[in-house]
Amino acid sequence: MRAVIPYKKAGAKSRLSPVLSLEEREEFVELMLNQVIDSLRNAEIEKIDVLSPSVYGLEDMTKARVLLDEDDLNEALNRYLAGSKEPVLIVMADLPLLSPAHIKGICSTEKDVCIVPGKGGGTNALFIKNPSRYRVKYYGSSFLTHCSIATDTGQDFEIYDSFLAGTDIDEPEDLVELLIHGNGSAKEYINRKFRLEVSRGRVGLVPL
Amino acid sequence: MRAVIPYKKAGAKSRLSPVLSLEEREEFVELMLNQVIDSLRNAEIEKIDVLSPSVYGLEDMTKARVLLDEDDLNEALNRYLAGSKEPVLIVMADLPLLSPAHIKGICSTEKDVCIVPGKGGGTNALFIKNPSRYRVKYYGSSFLTHCSIATDTGQDFEIYDSFLAGTDIDEPEDLVELLIHGNGSAKEYINRKFRLEVSRGRVGLVPL
């Protein structure tokens, strides 16, 4: 099997712009990418591809192969899947709470496809045993779409139910989850900039 | 073992007030409560208590025992724990995605305590094998607090990692998760009032 991580550093994570500058967001996504790669390696996945529209931020990448495709995320991933002759794990680059144990759990599914839901209807990871028989459609309610695509192509699927793997970091409130549940360099980066503050039921961020 | 569900119908779920009226919120929390009770019963938990500061909305409750305690949530729960001679599962009433399988998983922990984190640092469920040795402290970052309380009292704990059990319904965006991942009467109630709409990355609600 192989893993592929779609990645784009330039202008990344615009929804974090209320709390992080462009430069900070670009630093932060690089830390998250490296953590995801490390988790994959620690899960003993040897073939790891980073799929990006640009080499920006990947010039010194040695831990994974860099594949460039300027096309849209879905087009690029579907081209990747069509050319794959072994099972593929697609994993998003913004999952610093994803552990090697999660990855092993996802990839040990007995079904044809394993889908890891993210917040707000997204798909955080997708393990596909027969990639040439599957196509992806990210954006919007991709979780439901990915379930339907499996069913429509006669493949059964498992939903991998994890709070931690389900936490993709897109919005300021997601940084709270990273501070509470995370570890490693991405957490430390945010920890140097914010502290947690309790207000009305849930916990919020306060700049340091 | 027994389960206890803290519950307050009057003025419930004020953070949903941007999208649901007071009357709707009170109807909705009652549906969620009943779903949680049904999940507990389907997990073969026979002793179920609803702990409430008022009998309002519980006049006709037949599926669980109703305990009234006008004190604050923490005071009332700690009094409950102090008087319990068997393991206790504390489960919040706003978890319509919690399934019988989750409940069985939580209660089969090999540790002294099992903690189910909710969004934003909360605690969605808490299974305590020795309730007289534990006290709760909800509100704020209760997940971290509940981990510390276990450690400080010499009890080991498991973190139960579930996207679905981790989804407590407090904010309008949480209703999106209910529509995407839920079933049963609470989902149907929301489904009659809203549809999902895709915008900028995540899925939002649109009134019908």
Side-chain angles (χ1 to χ4, degrees), chain B residues 66-85:
Chain B
V66 175
L67 298 178
L68 299 182
D69 189 327
E70 291 184 359
D71 221 333
D72 166 76
L73 172 69
N74 287 315
E75 305 292 326
L77 275 175
N78 284 327
R79 189 161 25 241
Y80 181 94
L81 292 177
S84 297
K85 293 190 169 36

Side-chain angles (χ1 to χ4, degrees), chain B residues 173-193:
Chain B
E173 70 195 38
D174 305 329
L175 298 177
V176 171
E177 307 298 354
L178 178 59
L179 289 179
I180 291 175
H181 298 282
N183 53 50
S185 56
K187 178 200 177 159
E188 282 157 24
Y189 187 82
I190 297 303
N191 208 29
R192 284 197 297 273
K193 295 182 185 294

Side-chain angles (χ1 to χ4, degrees), chain A residues 53-114:
Chain A
S54 155
V55 77
Y56 175 56
L58 296 167
E59 299 87 347
D60 302 319
M61 174 56 64
T62 55
K63 296 189 288 188
R65 183 171 70 160
V66 175
L67 298 177
L68 299 181
D69 190 328
E70 292 184 359
D71 219 334
D72 166 77
L73 172 69
N74 287 317
E75 305 292 327
L77 275 174
N78 284 327
R79 189 158 28 239
Y80 182 95
L81 291 178
S84 297
K85 293 189 168 37
E86 59 192 318
V88 169
L89 173 65
I90 302 170
V91 53
M92 294 295 120
D94 60 353
L95 304 177
L97 304 181
L98 182 76
S99 72
H102 292 129
I103 293 164
K104 287 182 183 175
I106 295 161
C107 297
S108 64
T109 184
E110 294 181 356
K111 306 288 186 178
D112 297 317
V113 173
C114 183

